[in-house]
Amino acid sequence: MLKSLFEASVGALHDVEHAWNLLADAENIAPAVVEDVVMYPTVGVRLAKALHDIAGAAPSWREAGVLHTVAAAAAVRSGLECAISVPVVHGAVMLPTVGQWQLPSTGFPAGQAELSIGGGEVAVAHGGTFLRARDHRVSAGGRTLAITFEDLDPHREFTTPVAPAPLDAVEREEWAKLLDEAWHLLTRWHPGCADELAAGLRALIPLGAGTSVFAASSSNAFGGIAMSAKATATQLAEALVHEIQHSKLNALVDLVDLTTTEPGWVYAPWRDDPRGLVGLLHGIYAFTAVVEFWHVQRDLVPPAEARRAWFSFALRRAQVRAAVDSLRGNTRLTDLGRAFVAAASVRVSVCETAPVPDDLAGTVADLLAEHRAVWRMHHLRPEPADVVVLADAWMRDAPCPGRARSEVVPGGTTAARPRSVLLEMRALAPDRFERAVSLESAEAMFARGERGSAAAAYARRVRRDPRDVDAWIGLGLASQVAALLDQPATVRAVHACVTARTGAPPAPEELAAWMTAS
């Protein structure tokens, strides 16, 4: 059936039968080789894209030609002799697990190149510069990690094709050095995670400088992890532990249902955007492993890194606990989904027996409160009719009639969290904090723990400019008035409604207190 789909999509111009037979011959000779090629992460990305396009409109040759590139790669590695046409993407021919030929800018047919394969060697019509796939192998503690540093394949970042970005010698050496150190760390202190990575990690995809991505994986690219460069082996180990959990869960959710099909958005304490329920489960699963990583690792890092290690442990532990608790009674979880969440809760509870310094625990509580308030301000939209009812009650000096209905609306820009930056700086770099902040700013007052002064400063900012979203959030955090923490967008909307109808803006503190009393 798969062959028929490709034949229907690319037509007679490209010999699908030849590519299919070539792949079958390679499997007869070396089935493990064919499995290795077909299961390579970037092949999964290309196959998913091609099959998606086939199901809709006809895909382009460079997408549907994945069958030909897979067959060619299998032929090279199994020692077959053949000739085959393959797609050209970004001026190069890529054979997964083999390498890439960067073609001259002129002299070859647009969109395709002819390959002659024999004895494990490849000749490309019109020539080209060959870059071999960069494999890396490291052993420690009786365990071996064998991966490819994937910096060539156009589909390595799980999105639309991107140009090759081969690491230079220094970059490659630094990646290899940190990976070796991370592997020694994992095999010694986290053997279970090391076993998972040895079995599941196939390609490590270095992301370019300037990316904001810490690490990423894809359901279509099992065994592939893309990540930015890390400063230490510990950071690299943490990222690997995190992402391999996503790979495992991506495989699981294709086999079982953890949630119902009912749509809806939920809050994740580690994301600025609303998430689907499966996305929240992914985060719980991955960060539970990170909590366990830091539960062991926090006492093993060098003294200069100890404070940040404890902070990471405390933050991730609190985030996972908040997420797990938010799912109590959620009717969109299946029985398996509830068992999944319960298992994560048990794992985190083991780590919750470890005490955390009081000042770090307080900082983490403040960080979570701000993140939640910012998210609710930007993504919870109150029902307009309910806002009018609340405004009418306020103007009549009547008791607050209750909460406004709200719905989650993804989109919009989530504001920066200036208090979080200062709180983290004060906890981890107090000398820098004292040099960096203005003594008069509301943010500095809040970070120093002067909450009454901060609340007054934020209230003044709201009165000066009710459109100052951050001032509303700061007022709620500093005053701890429940309505500003739980329904900040509603308080702000009622304030605007009353102001528009009376010309007299209500005192923000009094309005929030009135709404809290309901």
Side-chain angles (χ1 to χ4, degrees):
M1 179 180 178
L2 184 63
K3 179 165 72 76
S4 300
L5 286 171
F6 279 102
E7 285 175 334
S9 65
V10 300
L13 180 61
H14 302 290
D15 193 346
V16 173
E17 185 77 25
H18 173 57
W20 189 265
N21 289 337
L22 184 59
L23 189 60
D25 290 343
E27 188 173 32
N28 287 333
I29 297 170
V33 165
V34 173
E35 180 180 359
D36 188 58
V37 174
V38 172
M39 291 299 294
Y40 192 69
T42 60
V43 172
V45 175
R46 289 195 61 183
L47 281 170
K49 177 69 165 62
L51 292 173
H52 177 272
D53 290 351
I54 288 170
S60 66
W61 158 237
R62 77 175 186 176
E63 297 297 343
V66 59
L67 179 62
H68 295 66
T69 60
V70 168
V76 173
R77 293 186 54 192
S78 61
L80 289 174
E81 294 187 4
C82 65
I84 189 170
S85 296
V86 295
V88 174
V89 181
H90 282 295
V93 168
M94 183 73 211
L95 299 188
T97 76
V98 176
Q100 184 180 81
W101 286 261
Q102 296 181 340
L103 304 181
S105 58
T106 59
F108 64 91
Q112 69 181 40
E114 300 296 325
L115 306 185
S116 297
I117 299 171
E121 300 294 328
V122 179
V124 182
H126 308 288
T129 302
F130 178 59
L131 297 174
R132 186 176 302 279
R134 294 173 171 85
D135 295 329
H136 185 77
R137 189 181 184 90
V138 55
S139 296
R143 296 171 174 84
T144 297
L145 180 68
I147 61 100
T148 297
F149 282 119
E150 183 54 81
D151 53 359
L152 300 174
D153 197 300
H155 294 80
R156 64 190 181 277
E157 295 187 11
F158 319 136
T159 56
T160 54
V162 295
L167 299 171
D168 62 32
V170 173
E171 291 170 329
R172 192 162 58 249
E173 183 178 342
E174 182 63 20
W175 272 99
K177 171 181 173 293
L178 282 181
L179 183 60
D180 289 355
E181 292 174 356
W183 189 243
H184 280 76
L185 180 157
L186 289 167
T187 55
R188 181 174 182 184
W189 300 110
H190 311 274
C193 291
D195 288 339
E196 293 174 352
L197 288 161
L201 181 59
R202 182 67 179 82
L204 192 58
I205 300 122
L207 298 177
T211 180
S212 60
V213 177
F214 183 78
S217 53
S218 168
S219 59
N220 294 325
F222 182 84
I225 296 178
M227 64 172 62
S228 57
K230 300 294 176 274
T232 68
T234 304
Q235 289 180 8
L236 179 55
E238 177 194 10
L240 292 172
V241 167
H242 179 108
E243 290 302 328
I244 199 64
Q245 311 311 314
H246 286 303
S247 289
K248 289 160 54 186
L249 190 52
N250 279 330
L252 177 67
V253 295
D254 284 336
L255 303 174
V256 301
D257 293 322
L258 300 178
T259 68
T260 66
T261 57
E262 182 184 354
W265 300 103
V266 292
Y267 167 67
W270 44 80
R271 295 280 303 214
D272 291 341
D273 56 335
R275 302 293 283 163
L277 186 52
V278 172
L280 181 61
L281 295 181
H282 260 283
I284 288 172
Y285 192 57
F287 280 117
T288 295
V290 170
V291 172
E292 292 171 333
F293 173 85
W294 285 117
H295 188 230
V296 173
Q297 202 63 35
R298 70 193 193 283
D299 289 327
L300 301 173
V301 298
E305 300 174 23
R307 181 79 170 169
R308 181 167 290 278
W310 274 92
F311 171 78
S312 297
F313 171 63
L315 177 63
R316 296 310 187 194
R317 188 177 71 175
Q319 288 174 328
V320 174
R321 174 52 63 195
V324 165
D325 289 350
S326 74
L327 292 177
R328 288 178 179 167
N330 191 302
T331 58
R332 293 168 53 209
L333 291 171
T334 64
D335 289 342
L336 279 175
R338 284 187 286 274
F340 179 92
V341 174
S345 181
V346 170
R347 289 169 61 187
V348 173
S349 68
V350 172
C351 301
E352 287 173 329
T353 60
V356 171
D358 290 344
D359 63 321
L360 284 184
T363 297
V364 165
D366 286 337
L367 292 174
L368 264 62
E370 177 169 36
H371 186 274
R372 179 176 179 272
V374 169
W375 189 93
R376 294 178 78 83
M377 176 67 88
H378 285 272
H379 298 300
L380 276 185
R381 296 289 178 268
E383 170 61 43
D386 292 355
V387 170
V388 171
V389 169
L390 288 166
D392 285 342
W394 169 267
M395 289 185 294
R396 296 196 314 272
D397 200 23
C400 179
R403 293 173 63 101
R405 292 165 293 174
S406 297
E407 65 173 333
V408 178
V409 181
T413 301
T414 300
R417 297 190 292 275
R419 287 159 297 274
S420 290
V421 173
L422 293 177
L423 285 167
E424 186 171 339
M425 187 188 300
R426 189 182 187 211
L428 301 178
D431 292 342
R432 183 180 166 209
F433 171 80
E434 293 300 332
R435 294 193 304 268
V437 300
S438 163
L439 296 178
E440 294 80 20
S441 73
E443 289 77 14
M445 296 174 190
F446 182 86
R448 287 197 300 269
E450 300 165 6
R451 302 304 165 87
S453 299
Y458 282 123
R460 289 193 294 271
R461 278 174 48 181
V462 170
R463 285 192 287 271
R464 285 196 304 268
D465 183 5
R467 296 168 300 177
D468 187 343
V469 172
D470 183 69
W472 281 102
I473 295 168
L475 177 59
L477 293 166
S479 65
Q480 289 294 293
V481 175
L484 279 170
L485 296 174
D486 295 336
Q487 44 182 332
T490 301
V491 177
R492 183 168 174 252
V494 173
H495 185 277
C497 184
V498 171
T499 302
R501 295 173 67 178
T502 68
E509 311 97 314
E510 295 177 9
L511 177 63
W514 174 77
M515 292 177 64
T516 296
S518 63

